[in-house]
Amino acid sequence: LIVYLIDTLRADHLGCYGYALPTSPRIDRFAAGATLFQNGRAQSSWTKPAVASVLTGLYPVAHGAELRPQRIHESVETLAERLRASGYETALFTTNANITARFGFAQGWETFRFLKHRKGRKHEHYDATEMNSEIFLWLAERERRSPDRPFLLFVHTLDPHDPYRPREEFRRKFAAAVDLETACCARSNELAALTGAAAVERAAGAMALYDAEIAQNDAAFGDFLDELDRRGLAASSAVLLTSDHGEEFFDHGGWKHGFTLYEEMLRIPLVLRLPGGVAAGRKIAAPAD
């Protein structure tokens, strides 16, 4: 059982959800062989409560991780705890500082990896390709250690999250004319002061960089799927692709995420590929969260 969650990913910026730009060729190919929920919704417009809901099946008011200092209640049984008790090996890889043991997210995981680069006093996240290297090592170790044991693997990447700094090969394709330093990294108070044409221009530049980061994560997701194939795991694995929330680019006068509940914030991809190609190509219009 595999959950692959791409942080800050709007559904409407993927080809399989109707986006015109080629941001997601590997996700689109994956979706063609899967069941696609056309109206997936997140439980929150920011990471901690949304991911806690994915891992517990509870609304934020029930699992407890609603506000910045709060954590998942210790009394709550997570998906990892339930499956581990049933004999599954469990592993979570994340690079988001909200998803740490401090906030209760290590409950039930035999392997819990919060991946970060230390640069002086600052920490920087891994990109999805760097995360793949760590995940592939775990898959290889698991294959040597207990190849027949079922597993739950949760992967939480962060590429589309601000600051929008895609690798150069993706920036050239989607944002070649964008000034990277201007569009990638503005603070919320600076963005809030923008109005009219200046805001529209900044939003277009930031969105182009955001699309480039989606494409970057899409390529890494494709590499992840290829590794499952190479190891003979694809045919026996259920893979869920989703996100925790979306992102706003002045759509309703705001920026980034965590402040509003509009569609650009809550409508997320929800694509489930079942073993053996069951229900491949099916599209479900009913709301799912």
Side-chain angles (χ1 to χ4, degrees):
L1 302 174
I2 298 167
V3 179
Y4 193 104
L5 187 147
I6 301 176
D7 205 297
T8 321
L9 180 58
R10 292 171 57 150
D12 64 353
H13 277 244
L14 299 176
C16 54
Y17 283 91
Y19 199 45
L21 298 180
T23 56
S24 55
R26 293 304 305 266
I27 292 174
D28 298 344
R29 193 187 315 169
F30 170 79
T35 294
L36 184 144
F37 294 84
Q38 296 173 310
N39 292 291
R41 294 297 188 299
Q43 287 297 333
S44 178
S45 60
W46 72 287
T47 296
K48 190 197 294 181
V51 174
S53 286
V54 173
L55 293 177
T56 64
L58 300 174
Y59 293 115
V61 69
H63 63 57
E66 290 189 272
L67 304 178
R68 297 289 174 185
Q70 293 179 322
R71 55 166 289 144
I72 298 172
H73 296 314
E74 291 184 5
S75 60
V76 168
E77 183 184 41
T78 67
L79 177 64
E81 288 175 303
R82 181 173 296 184
L83 290 179
R84 188 173 179 180
S86 297
Y88 279 69
E89 183 169 358
T90 57
L92 183 150
F93 293 81
T94 184
T95 188
N96 187 307
N98 285 299
I99 310 304
T100 62
R102 174 188 173 191
F103 298 122
F105 286 95
Q107 292 177 210
W109 302 100
E110 291 174 69
T111 299
F112 182 88
R113 297 287 307 281
F114 170 45
L115 304 171
K116 59 186 177 182
H117 295 295
R118 183 183 291 275
K119 294 196 174 179
R121 298 181 63 184
K122 294 184 178 181
H123 294 153
E124 293 186 0
H125 72 270
Y126 277 44
D127 68 28
T129 297
E130 292 173 316
M131 289 186 70
N132 272 347
S133 297
E134 300 293 328
I135 295 161
F136 294 173
L137 283 174
W138 177 82
L139 287 170
E141 291 167 0
R142 180 206 148 269
E143 193 172 274
R144 289 193 296 269
R145 183 178 58 249
S146 52
D148 297 324
R149 187 182 176 193
F151 66 88
L152 167 67
L153 171 62
F154 190 95
V155 178
H156 179 179
T157 65
L158 199 66
D159 291 25
H161 197 289
D162 75 284
Y164 316 114
R165 288 187 175 276
R167 292 186 178 184
E168 184 60 21
E169 62 182 292
F170 297 100
R171 190 196 69 80
R172 284 197 306 268
K173 185 173 182 179
F174 291 90
V178 176
D179 179 56
L180 180 63
E181 296 308 318
T182 299
C184 82
C185 315
R187 295 181 178 179
S188 295
N189 61 330
E190 296 172 358
L191 293 170
L194 295 173
T195 59
V200 172
E201 182 179 0
R202 178 66 64 85
M207 186 178 285
L209 293 172
Y210 172 76
D211 282 344
E213 290 201 321
I214 293 173
Q216 176 178 297
N217 207 140
D218 176 80
F221 178 64
D223 292 340
F224 174 78
L225 294 177
D226 291 344
E227 183 71 5
L228 295 182
D229 278 328
R230 191 177 73 81
R231 294 192 173 278
L233 294 170
S236 59
S237 298
V239 181
L240 175 69
L241 174 75
T242 190
S243 184
D244 50 353
H245 55 76
E247 188 84 321
E248 184 176 1
F249 296 92
F250 204 58
D251 302 57
H252 288 91
W255 304 88
K256 301 185 180 181
H257 57 267
F259 305 107
T260 68
L261 298 172
Y262 291 111
E263 283 290 83
E264 63 270 12
M265 205 65 64
L266 294 187
R267 188 173 177 232
I268 54 170
L270 194 62
V271 187
L272 175 62
R273 189 179 76 181
L274 295 171
V278 174
R282 185 182 181 196
K283 294 184 178 181
I284 297 176
D289 51 342

